[in-house]
Amino acid sequence: MTETKVLLPESALPDRWYNVAADMPNRPQPVLHPGTGQPVGPDDLAPLFPMELILQEVSEAPEVPIPEPVREILRLWRPTPLFRAHRLEQTLGTRSRIFYKYEGVSPAGSHKPNTAVAQAYYSKQEGRERLATETGAGQWGSALALACRLLGLECKVYMVKVSYRQKPYRRSMMETWGASVVASPSEETQTGRAILESHPDSPGSLGIAISEAVEDAAGRGDTAYALGSVLNHVLLHQTVIGQEALAQMDLAGAFPDVVIGCVGGGSNFAGLAFPFIREKIGGKEIDVLACEPAACPTLTRGPFAYDFGDTGQLTPLVPMHTLGHDFVPAGIHAGGLRYHGVAPLISQLVLDGLVRAEAYAQNDVFASAVTFAGSEGIIPAPESAHAIHGAVLNAMAADDEGIERTILFNLSGHGHFDMAAYDDYLAGRLEDFALPEDEIQRALAAIEPLPKPA
Ligand SMILES: Cc1ncc(COP(=O)(O)O)c(C=O)c1O
């Protein structure tokens, strides 16, 4: 019987990130300038991002070395543990073996610091003194606040207004690490002021907060913009997760039949899955499953199209599965999964049949989260609970078929700041939002005039 925790020594922390773009059968299509319809070049992005990150964004090298100062900070919590979920298996009565990689041991409580540290490091190297970003549920803002503090940079966070009100302690956490946090839409940017004028009660959205942070960074020479998901370089930085997991599964004497992650913009999913997709492209049989909310079903119901990454249409056009930049998802509790698009790398892998997706209703997801908490102990973030639910469904389906599977999922974060969501679930107050097809079609009308992918 495998041990409960499979741990790696610090010396096993990866020294390279893995770039799936080098192995994909079809590279993602280029990101386009919305004005000219032409591919965006490094010069277009230079006001927002440090050059090293722009080069990583377009890199085709299979591996990118991780700078030693970044590894030195990652060692505060990495390598993260891999667990064999013996007690969950017993609770479910399944014959399958379930493993999970736990990213909630980072100081901010999720996988997000893996890229925050790298982004803050390169920004500082290239002389920026300040980073601006957006945050939905607060996980990404906390991660960047932490990274900026550890590397000596200022940090400005535009936090979606509803979360700013619902999650005061996420804000306190960011402020403890020295960040300055403002509710979005804010009076501090043109985008924010325009929205407040037309919708004084706007609860905000990730798309709006991105527009504010981009406007902030574009307007100041000392500031870079940092994004917590979607972009190629962000997914690249997360691949330490899957590389460690490969080594840990090996130590456990197992290899997964199924690899599962939840998908908002796609970074934790990519972090775990991409090193396994390399194995899949190399001939191993692995089912790679992306789990999303039924209230924001980007991969399962959104077309593959060019779209803006933000509501204010300040970003380039990105080739991705999208529900349209005007789409405002229902107020489900997995705030980090309420985004209208998904990373181009993942969108392309779905198109090419290397990744498949499923969408779940939030009451079902919380039921699995509570089952998990009651067997493994950890109270998961509502986002991560989508991956748990995917693993539970998979194990039950295997039992129905009379087979045993080895299932691996990413537990991307803990839910200690999400207890209001658990309160609502336990009191029976959570609604399942059935998203009408009409609403999807309405939001997609906004991308009709945009260029179409080849
Ligand atoms: C714990 C956790 N998991 C998952 C996500 C979704 O983001 P991504 O798809 O980039 O991993 C978030 C986003 O905030 C998160 O906080």
Side-chain angles (χ1 to χ4, degrees), residues 109-112 135-140 170 206 228-230 234-235 238 262-270 335-337 346 381-384 410-414 418:
S110 77
H111 63 295
K112 298 278 180 182
T135 196
Q139 286 273 21
W140 166 242
R170 270 280 167 203
L206 213 47
S229 191
V230 179
V234 180
L235 275 52
Q238 292 294 351
C262 68
V263 171
S267 72
N268 88 89
F269 170 81
L337 306 187
I346 295 173
E383 290 85 1
S384 323
N410 201 12
L411 189 62
S412 53
H414 67 62
D418 300 285

Side-chain angles (χ1 to χ4, degrees), residues 269-421:
F269 170 81
L272 178 68
F274 283 1
F276 287 93
I277 287 178
R278 169 160 54 178
E279 303 291 319
K280 182 167 176 163
I281 292 169
K284 286 254 172 50
E285 219 171 277
I286 315 173
D287 178 20
V288 185
L289 173 62
C291 305
E292 62 183 12
C296 191
T298 319
L299 286 172
T300 47
R301 293 176 68 188
F304 180 77
Y306 271 111
D307 195 6
F308 291 98
D310 69 325
T311 310
Q313 308 185 7
L314 297 179
T315 70
L317 295 172
V318 181
M320 61 182 178
H321 283 274
T322 179
L323 294 165
H325 55 271
D326 276 349
F327 179 74
V328 179
I332 55 164
H333 276 291
L337 306 187
R338 294 178 67 233
Y339 181 62
H340 66 271
V342 167
L345 285 171
I346 295 173
S347 295
Q348 185 66 46
L349 289 164
V350 169
L351 270 187
D352 291 340
L354 285 160
V355 171
R356 70 184 179 93
E358 289 181 353
Y360 307 133
Q362 65 173 348
N363 274 297
D364 295 341
V365 166
F366 272 90
S368 289
V370 169
T371 302
F372 182 82
S375 48
E376 296 294 311
I378 298 168
I379 298 178
E383 290 85 1
S384 323
H386 287 72
I388 297 175
H389 190 58
V392 168
L393 291 183
N394 228 279
M396 287 170 14
D399 292 335
D400 287 347
E401 289 169 47
I403 57 174
E404 283 172 35
R405 282 195 193 125
T406 301
I407 299 167
L408 168 64
F409 72 88
N410 201 12
L411 189 62
S412 53
H414 67 62
H416 298 176
F417 292 88
D418 300 285
M419 296 320 295

